[in-house]
Amino acid sequence: MGIFNKDGRLNIPLSKREKNKSSASEDEVRYIVDQAYCPKGCTIIDTAHEINGSPGLKIKFKRPGMEGEFVISALEGDFDKIILSGTLADGVKDELYCPHCGVAFEKLINCNCKTDADMVVIGLTPTLDFNNAISFCNVTGCDNGTFVKSGHVLRHIRLKHSS
Ligand SMILES: [Zn+2]
Ligand SMILES: [Zn+2]
């Protein structure tokens, strides 16, 4: 049985989705990132680290007293990630950077999980375009920890503000 998350989307654990793979519409719905860039144009797709069959997105993280690198899944709705170095703490925010040039990723809006939480933006084009990007919360364990397309985030904000 699925559970609707805050965004009203059906939240199905990936393991259950895999079992329903015969459904063609399910495959169309799930979005896979195959190109991703830092704000300066470095590619952050990491072909050395695949998650659930697709090369992940490599990101550097820092917070007071800790830094490291992780790889997030390129599959929409997939929370799986590989920690390459350092440790993440549940409910704690990390600042996110390009693992190659060290530039900080841009932020779209605040996430509603914590007052200082941010929806970090990763561009799908070498030159950052907020309408052609993905976004996710930088707090470990947040429901918004798996990415959505930034256009969806912006639409949700507009809907909230108009209701
Ligand atoms: Zn870079
Ligand atoms: Zn959050």
Side-chain angles (χ1 to χ4, degrees):
M1 296 295 273
I3 318 153
F4 285 95
N5 68 15
K6 286 198 286 274
D7 296 319
R9 301 196 321 173
L10 199 58
N11 192 7
I12 307 168
L14 193 68
S15 55
K16 286 189 188 162
R17 286 179 169 230
E18 290 290 327
K19 283 172 201 149
N20 295 334
K21 226 174 182 174
S22 54
S23 154
S25 60
E26 178 73 23
D27 285 348
E28 279 167 21
V29 167
R30 204 200 296 176
Y31 180 69
I32 301 175
V33 169
D34 58 2
Q35 304 212 51
Y37 301 88
C38 91
K40 288 198 170 167
C42 310
T43 179
I44 61 160
I45 295 288
D46 184 356
T47 50
H49 295 99
E50 291 197 354
I51 300 176
N52 296 315
S54 295
L57 282 59
K58 190 174 178 182
I59 295 167
K60 182 176 182 171
F61 66 90
K62 267 188 215 173
R63 63 178 185 273
M66 178 58 70
E67 67 173 82
E69 288 183 335
F70 58 69
V71 178
I72 63 167
S73 175
L75 279 63
E76 183 175 25
D78 183 8
F79 280 88
D80 288 357
K81 58 163 82 86
I82 301 168
I83 312 290
L84 300 177
S85 59
T87 54
L88 295 172
D90 210 33
V92 176
K93 165 184 152 169
D94 294 282
E95 296 295 338
L96 304 182
Y97 303 88
C98 173
H100 306 295
C101 73
V103 71
F105 284 101
E106 300 282 335
K107 293 159 182 177
L108 191 62
I109 49 161
N110 276 51
C111 178
N112 55 14
C113 71
K114 277 197 162 52
T115 51
D116 67 341
D118 308 295
M119 294 295 288
V120 172
V121 177
I122 293 181
L124 303 179
T125 50
T127 302
L128 182 61
D129 169 4
F130 281 86
N131 289 307
N132 196 4
I134 54 169
S135 185
F136 59 95
C137 179
N138 59 2
V139 171
T140 299
C142 175
D143 285 348
N144 296 323
T146 177
F147 74 78
V148 293
K149 288 197 219 167
S150 56
H152 295 186
V153 177
L154 294 170
R155 255 193 305 283
H156 276 297
I157 305 293
R158 286 189 204 115
L159 287 174
K160 265 183 207 160
H161 284 232
S162 62
S163 62

